[in-house]
């Protein structure tokens, strides 16, 4: 089910970017949409446990609101997600939450800047390896660090809270030359940490020139 709402004015206080960033021009009609979805699945061993009788079916319901604001010189996006998963046997229910925001601003005809930030909280237990970071629109965002689901979480059902942010610029002094730079950070924390997991941080930078 998809719900769509429109607002003439909207004040957002979840994640704050520098004043005017992504909102330089008039934003008469920001758009707010919300997706409500439900799904079911069956897993033979959803948390990588040892032993027998590890399978279980589950049902998940999620709500994903998205605020989009576009102007003549840039755009701003803010997305949240909350989900509840109920297992039919053996496992306790879980909840997950996330917030992501991104903005792009064309400062001059030659210079543009962009920034993004987000956080999520979820219970992990099965190894999903490495996935690229995604922005509020669900597309891969090269300014965000990859999502790392540690193999050390197998079978532990630990809640992980992660924080991520990135920023950069693109500068095109001539029609043939282009410079760019990006930086990103990622931090993982375990609120309960009953199994002595190591919290970690990730930092990344990139610089480039194209002709």
């Amino acid at each position: 089910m998809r719900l769509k709402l429109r607002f003439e004015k909207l004040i957002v206080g979840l994640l704050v970017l520098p004043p005017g960033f992504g909102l330089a021009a008039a934003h008469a009609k920001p758009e707010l949409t919300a997706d409500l979805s439900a799904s079911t699945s069956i897993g033979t061993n959803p948390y990588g446990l040892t032993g027998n009788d590890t399978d279980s079916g589950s049902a998940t319901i999620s709500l994903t609101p998205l605020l989009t604001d576009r102007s003549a010189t840039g755009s701003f996006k803010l997305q949240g997600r909350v989900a509840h998963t109920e297992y039919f046997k053996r496992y306790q229910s879980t909840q997950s939450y996330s917030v992501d925001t991104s903005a792009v601003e064309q400062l001059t005809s030659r210079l543009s800047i962009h920034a993004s930030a987000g956080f999520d909280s979820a219970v992990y237990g099965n190894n999903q390896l490495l996935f690229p970071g995604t922005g509020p629109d669900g597309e891969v965002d090269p300014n965000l660090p990859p999502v790392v689901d540690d193999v050390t979480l197998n079978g532990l059902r630990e809640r992980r809270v992660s924080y991520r942010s990135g920023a950069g610029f693109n500068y095109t002094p001539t029609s043939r030359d282009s410079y760019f730079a990006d930086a990103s950070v990622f931090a993982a924390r375990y609120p309960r940490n009953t199994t002595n997991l190591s919290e970690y941080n990730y930092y990344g930078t990139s610089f480039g020139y194209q002709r």
Side-chain angles (χ1 to χ4, degrees), residues 1-5 32-39 60-66 78-85 95-99:
M1 180 172 65
R2 183 178 178 85
L3 306 174
K4 180 173 286 187
L5 304 174
L32 177 64
T33 61
D35 287 333
L36 179 64
S37 64
S39 62
T60 299
I61 184 171
S62 64
L63 176 65
T64 307
L66 171 64
L78 175 67
Q79 178 174 285
R81 184 177 187 273
V82 56
H84 176 87
T85 298
Q95 297 77 39
S96 61
Y97 321 90
S98 66
V99 177

Side-chain angles (χ1 to χ4, degrees), residues 1-22:
M1 180 172 65
R2 183 178 178 85
L3 306 174
K4 180 173 286 187
L5 304 174
R6 294 180 183 274
F7 294 87
E8 293 300 317
K9 295 182 179 179
L10 185 61
I11 298 175
V12 179
L14 294 177
L15 292 175
V16 179
L17 291 174
F21 190 85

Side-chain angles (χ1 to χ4, degrees), residues 179-195:
Y179 301 86
F180 65 88
D182 292 285
S184 61
V185 297
F186 178 91
R189 300 292 181 264
Y190 303 97
R192 291 194 310 151
N193 207 4
T194 57
T195 51

Side-chain angles (χ1 to χ4, degrees), residues 107-121:
L107 297 179
T108 70
S109 60
R110 301 180 184 276
L111 177 63
S112 67
I113 56 176
H114 51 267
S116 57
F119 111 99
D120 70 74
S121 173

Side-chain angles (χ1 to χ4, degrees), residues 166-183:
F169 71 88
N170 292 81
Y171 177 61
T172 307
T174 70
S175 59
R176 299 179 58 185
D177 301 300
S178 178
Y179 301 86
F180 65 88
D182 292 285

